[in-house]
Amino acid sequence: MHTGSRHTSSRPPAADLPVDPAAVVSFTRDLVRLRTVNAAGATVVEQPAADLVARLFTEFGWTYDVAEVAPGRPNTVAVIEGGGGDGPTLMFEGHIDVVTEGNPQDWSVDPYGAEIRDGKLWGRGSADMKSGVAAMIYAVRALQLAGPFPGRVVLGVLCDEEGLMLGAKAFAATPLAREVDGVIVCEPEGYELCTSARGGIRLRLDLDGVMAHGAMPQEARSPIVAGARIVEALGRVQDWALKRYGTHPHAGRVTVTPTVLHGGDPDQLNVIPAHGLVGVDVRTIPGTDHTELIDKIEEFAVGAAGSEGVGVRLTVVDDRPAVEIAQDHPVVTALVDGHRQVHGAPPPFGAVPGTTDGTILTRDAGLPTVVYGPGGKWIAHQKDEFVEVDEIVEYTRVYAAAARAFLTGAGGAR
């Protein structure tokens, strides 16, 4: 996949960093075997995996803190001092909760078997993102075993990324977060180094009409018809957004997508309901004014529903900004350097199609974040999820080399 001449410099290549391939793959498998599904109402999600991570931190002799963000939902954060004098603080970040596997019968493998077959490690969370968590931990271990380094590394294994990102929000509020100089988020991006991430807005449009008999539509103000008008109007908002904000070279364009259209009762097919609901998923690009865009969506929705005499109440359920980091930022150039050492050529730049914990770390704590990790860019949340075994080891080597470059300033780091 990667071509070009091998990188050479006065600094030793990544091959001198003592990465343990068997151990990082084995630890990934151990994590995948744990069913840490972020399900509504679950009282135990990350805890078994967090316990496993904590035991490994203890084995390595690392200082770490476990903070319960919500009942049974811990953040596990280690700080590894380099012992080589003053220097910057680099953070690696990952999460250990996963989405549901859905119907296990739809899978061709056991979703939690962590089977290795055809050079791939299969299972829910293998790509998103337990392999990334394992790789970042063993990369820092390799860096430490290679000898003293300046500064320190923070390893953040955070909770609830697949939900409301409570773990990232909690970490962003800590004093330690204010000391971090750069963050590598280890989400799966298929060898792309993602310097931008699309923003996300989740909207709920509640529709208030008038109930009537199905045989007497003239007596109703139908939220069903109004909902259809709104869905059509959202396409016009998307067209407006393209003209207003343009196209980003990596993140593409703003999308305004209806995801829920609800109203009425299947057991009462002869009744026009009084109330309905339209759910909207909005994805934005760097430079998008979220307030302006939400106002425009409300304007179009109110106009569309008003033609049917139906009222609209807009609720912003969640609002996460698009974020971007300069390609010459030290944490980016260090990752480019590490990737080049391992693969012989620089990585392509890209964008995260959704949001990550890095979005919250940037928004709430002002931390510069970049996203780069093992696994296919589009494999997350699908059945038969997998990660290439070789990738787990490759990313571990890149992380170790990038950390050394960032902390020593060899990759352009502060």
Side-chain angles (χ1 to χ4, degrees):
M1 179 177 294
H2 303 280
T3 60
S5 301
R6 284 288 173 186
H7 175 69
T8 59
S9 74
S10 59
R11 185 175 67 263
D16 79 313
L17 291 161
V19 167
D20 187 335
V24 67
V25 173
S26 177
F27 190 69
T28 303
R29 298 184 77 186
D30 289 343
L31 288 173
V32 171
R33 291 186 181 109
L34 300 173
R35 188 179 184 274
T36 55
V37 172
N38 195 335
T43 56
V44 177
V45 180
E46 295 91 355
Q47 193 67 61
D51 291 342
L52 187 65
V53 167
R55 287 196 294 272
L56 186 62
F57 287 174
T58 300
E59 177 185 329
F60 290 163
W62 292 346
T63 299
Y64 65 91
D65 177 69
V66 178
E68 193 174 62
V69 173
R73 309 298 300 276
N75 277 352
T76 307
V77 180
V79 178
I80 299 90
E81 299 287 348
D86 292 339
T89 297
L90 174 66
M91 180 177 182
F92 286 98
E93 191 277 334
H95 66 87
I96 44 177
D97 59 321
V98 299
V99 298
T100 177
E101 70 278 12
N103 184 354
Q105 300 304 314
D106 292 337
W107 289 62
S108 63
V109 295
D110 178 351
Y112 301 101
E115 176 184 350
I116 292 179
R117 174 166 47 88
D118 300 327
K120 301 176 176 67
L121 195 165
W122 301 81
R124 173 58 82 228
S126 54
D128 184 21
M129 57 166 292
K130 291 177 174 179
S131 57
V133 169
M136 73 186 196
I137 293 171
Y138 276 90
V140 176
R141 180 58 170 168
L143 176 69
Q144 184 184 49
L145 292 175
F149 55 87
R152 60 183 175 166
V153 179
V154 174
L155 283 169
V157 182
L158 307 185
C159 68
D160 194 44
E161 193 274 348
E162 300 292 2
L164 293 176
M165 300 184 172
L166 297 178
K169 292 172 182 175
F171 178 81
T174 64
L176 179 58
R178 294 194 291 271
E179 300 172 10
V180 171
D181 297 298
V183 184
I184 297 173
V185 178
C186 304
E187 291 271 11
E189 295 298 340
Y191 287 108
E192 285 187 356
L193 195 161
C194 293
T195 53
S196 57
R198 298 173 82 202
I201 310 170
R202 296 175 189 172
L203 301 176
R204 174 179 173 135
L205 302 173
D206 286 283
L207 311 180
D208 299 315
V210 173
M211 183 178 180
H213 196 291
M216 307 172 191
Q218 72 278 5
E219 303 298 325
R221 294 201 296 272
S222 172
I224 305 294
V225 177
R229 299 275 189 265
I230 289 173
V231 168
E232 183 182 28
L234 292 175
R236 296 197 298 275
V237 176
Q238 184 168 277
D239 292 340
W240 171 88
L242 176 61
K243 295 176 182 177
R244 179 73 176 88
Y245 304 116
T247 301
H248 187 275
H250 301 304
R253 58 175 291 176
V254 171
T255 56
V256 182
T257 306
T259 53
V260 178
L261 180 58
H262 177 74
D265 183 345
D267 293 328
Q268 294 286 303
L269 297 180
N270 62 335
V271 175
I272 299 170
H275 305 288
L277 168 69
V278 177
V280 189
D281 182 286
V282 183
R283 299 294 161 160
T284 62
I285 59 177
T288 305
D289 183 328
H290 280 206
T291 299
E292 179 184 47
L293 180 56
I294 292 169
D295 287 347
K296 185 61 66 173
I297 291 170
E298 184 171 34
E299 174 192 329
F300 274 59
V302 168
S307 67
E308 300 299 323
V310 172
V312 176
R313 290 174 287 122
L314 182 147
T315 302
V316 179
V317 178
D318 199 14
D319 187 350
R320 303 170 184 173
V323 296
E324 189 164 30
I325 185 173
Q327 292 184 9
D328 62 354
H329 188 282
V331 74
V332 176
T333 59
L335 257 179
V336 170
D337 186 75
H339 185 100
R340 184 184 290 113
Q341 288 187 53
V342 173
H343 296 290
F349 289 101
V352 181
T355 59
T356 72
D357 280 339
T359 302
I360 303 303
L361 297 178
T362 297
R363 184 192 71 184
D364 292 0
L367 300 183
T369 58
V370 62
V371 184
Y372 171 93
K377 191 177 185 75
W378 309 107
I379 194 66
H381 302 188
Q382 296 185 30
K383 67 177 183 179
D384 287 346
E385 182 181 347
F386 69 89
V387 62
E388 299 280 351
V389 173
D390 287 347
E391 281 190 35
I392 303 174
V393 179
E394 289 170 358
Y395 277 84
T396 306
R397 297 190 190 283
V398 172
Y399 290 156
R404 179 166 61 185
F406 183 83
L407 295 167
T408 63
R414 286 188 294 270

